[in-house]
Amino acid sequence: MPTPTPKRIAVTGAAGQICYALLFRIAKGDVYGPDQPVILQLLDLPQAQAAVRGVVMELEDCAFPLLVDTIVTDDPTVAFRDADAAFFVGSRPRSKGMERRDLLSANAEIFRVQGRALNEAAKRDAKVVVVGNPANTNAMILAANAPDFPTENVTSMIRLDHNRALTQLAARAGVAVGDIDRLAVWGNHSPTMFADWTEAVSGGRLLSEIIDDETWYRETLIPDVARRGTAIIEARGASSAASAANAAIDHMHDWIHGSDGKWVSMGVHSTGAHGIPEGLMFGVPVVCKDGSYERVEGLSFNEFQNGMMARTIAELEEEREAVAALLG
Ligand SMILES: NC(=O)C1=CN([C@@H]2O[C@H](COP(=O)(O)OP(=O)(O)OC[C@H]3O[C@@H](n4cnc5c(N)ncnc54)[C@H](O)[C@@H]3O)[C@@H](O)[C@H]2O)C=CC1
Ligand SMILES: O=C([O-])CC(=O)C(=O)O
């Protein structure tokens, strides 16, 4: 069989802690699979170029058979040139005492500049995931500044929250993580996110019936998932990195290869379904198939769900208002 043309994968924030986990897994084949060669196109700031070169030396020392080339640059247009996929990680992380929205002004400008470069340089069918916080609103800024690039292909990461909820639910229900389906995490990657078990099942049974503890769901699961990032910062002194990289890999892998009919949560551009205002970048359940995602639609919400949705919608609308000047 002929060797496939390498896929070009742009990654921003290459000298940072998430990328220290992410790049090695991409090079190993965890995104495109074990038969697909890749080229890494790494972006970071001028002052971080030496550190990126150190990471590249380590990539070389792994002798990954699939890694055919690595480009290192501080120019976003070079990094995004002909990209098939792009991970937007580069931005400031929060530290103790900050909320992710406190990063809005520090990071928003990055996504305006990089949106223009994406517009100019990437393939039109490139798949984009924004990891840098506040991820939903950064992705909205990116898409708004890339008018010739399909908005559908700009997504934000809420998969880490989805994975966090899966583990908590599996442990409480005494089922395997892999047996859970129809879990949704809605809205903003922030304390207002809504980990929703209403439809979630394992082995054909509703998790809400297996666990049978609405108080645990409302007062423990939902807030614990929403506050997990803070708990990690408190414990580690730095924000999550390996688990964030893993979630970014899961997000992109499933988008490319499909989710086997299962629901996964992705931040996507709202089309107005489920009462979510059009244009917000919003965590929703999707099913991935044949290189694209389909939003799960036609769900009806009870009063509790409506209240949770309203809270995270309001926060994203406030964020949109705060960055209105950057939305083109
Ligand atoms: N969506 C999610 O679930 C998660 C998001 N995050 C976010 O991911 C981001 C990165 O986190 P870490 O890797 O831990 O941070 P880090 O500080 O270790 O690395 C960030 C890197 O981005 C680079 N950078 C800054 N501005 C840049 C620009 N304009 N262009 C290219 N590179 C630039 C920095 O030089 C640095 O090398 C943070 O915003 C963090 O809050 C972290 C965990 C989960
Ligand atoms: O909490 C943070 O700042 C990092 C992050 O987004 C997460 O771990 O979910």
Side-chain angles (χ1 to χ4, degrees):
M1 226 170 65
T3 313
T5 309
K7 298 287 185 191
R8 294 181 174 272
I9 308 181
V11 186
T12 76
Q17 51 153 3
I18 292 177
C19 286
Y20 198 62
L22 180 65
L23 299 177
F24 295 84
R25 291 196 50 195
I26 297 173
K28 180 77 183 164
D30 287 356
V31 171
Y32 275 100
D35 301 316
Q36 174 59 59
V38 294
I39 296 173
L40 286 172
Q41 306 193 155
L42 306 181
L43 180 72
D44 209 306
L45 297 171
Q47 60 270 30
Q49 293 295 296
V52 181
R53 280 196 291 278
V55 177
V56 172
M57 287 161 72
E58 288 204 62
L59 283 163
E60 288 165 359
D61 294 350
C62 295
F64 289 119
L66 294 173
L67 183 59
V68 296
D69 196 9
T70 306
I71 293 163
V72 177
T73 181
D74 59 9
D75 178 346
T77 312
V78 172
F80 304 147
R81 177 73 59 208
D82 297 329
D84 296 285
F87 292 83
F88 284 77
V89 182
S91 51
R92 211 183 118 185
R94 66 179 170 141
S95 39
K96 278 187 194 174
M98 290 171 85
E99 276 307 340
R100 297 184 188 102
R101 68 168 170 267
D102 298 332
L103 296 171
L104 204 52
S105 54
N107 289 337
E109 177 64 17
I110 295 175
F111 291 85
R112 188 175 68 88
V113 172
Q114 294 184 358
R116 291 177 178 174
L118 180 77
N119 197 51
E120 185 185 328
K123 284 190 182 148
R124 294 304 89 167
D125 60 354
K127 292 178 164 56
V128 169
V129 60
V130 174
V131 174
N133 280 317
N136 300 57
T137 296
N138 288 339
M140 188 172 60
I141 297 168
L142 191 79
N145 286 282
D148 307 318
F149 187 83
T151 310
E152 286 294 298
N153 283 12
V154 178
T155 66
S156 69
M157 186 164 101
I158 197 150
R159 183 62 176 264
L160 180 54
D161 312 298
H162 185 101
N163 288 348
R164 287 167 171 164
L166 277 179
T167 300
Q168 303 296 325
L169 284 164
R172 178 75 187 197
V175 302
V177 166
D179 288 342
I180 297 178
D181 190 11
R182 298 172 71 86
L183 170 69
V185 183
W186 300 95
N188 203 3
H189 174 64
S190 80
T192 68
M193 77 178 75
F194 172 31
D196 181 3
W197 78 354
T198 312
E199 300 278 331
V201 288
S202 172
R205 287 187 65 202
L206 282 172
L207 282 179
S208 54
E209 285 172 7
I210 300 174
I211 296 173
D212 193 23
D213 188 346
E214 186 76 19
T215 307
W216 174 81
Y217 165 58
R218 292 189 187 195
E219 293 177 14
T220 302
L221 177 82
I222 295 173
D224 277 9
V225 170
R227 291 277 170 203
R228 185 73 165 183
T230 303
I232 287 167
I233 292 171
E234 278 163 8
R236 230 171 70 83
S239 65
S240 62
S243 58
N246 178 69
I249 300 255
D250 284 350
H251 177 117
M252 197 63 92
H253 173 277
D254 287 356
W255 190 358
I256 293 165
H257 298 283
S259 61
D260 290 330
K262 275 194 168 186
W263 292 16
V264 289
S265 302
M266 285 172 71
V268 302
H269 177 84
S270 169
T271 51
H274 295 129
I276 303 160
E278 202 174 335
L280 290 183
M281 197 61 72
F282 204 88
V284 298
V286 301
V287 174
C288 301
K289 198 177 167 204
D290 299 332
S292 59
Y293 61 83
E294 268 182 33
R295 298 166 179 82
V296 174
E297 290 189 347
L299 301 170
S300 54
F301 293 157
N302 62 29
E303 200 185 327
F304 177 71
Q305 289 173 295
N306 279 329
M308 295 301 289
M309 291 292 275
R311 204 169 66 125
T312 196
I313 287 171
E315 185 183 44
L316 279 169
E317 285 188 310
E318 267 172 42
E319 289 186 16
R320 175 159 68 179
E321 193 56 38
V323 299
L326 299 177
L327 294 176

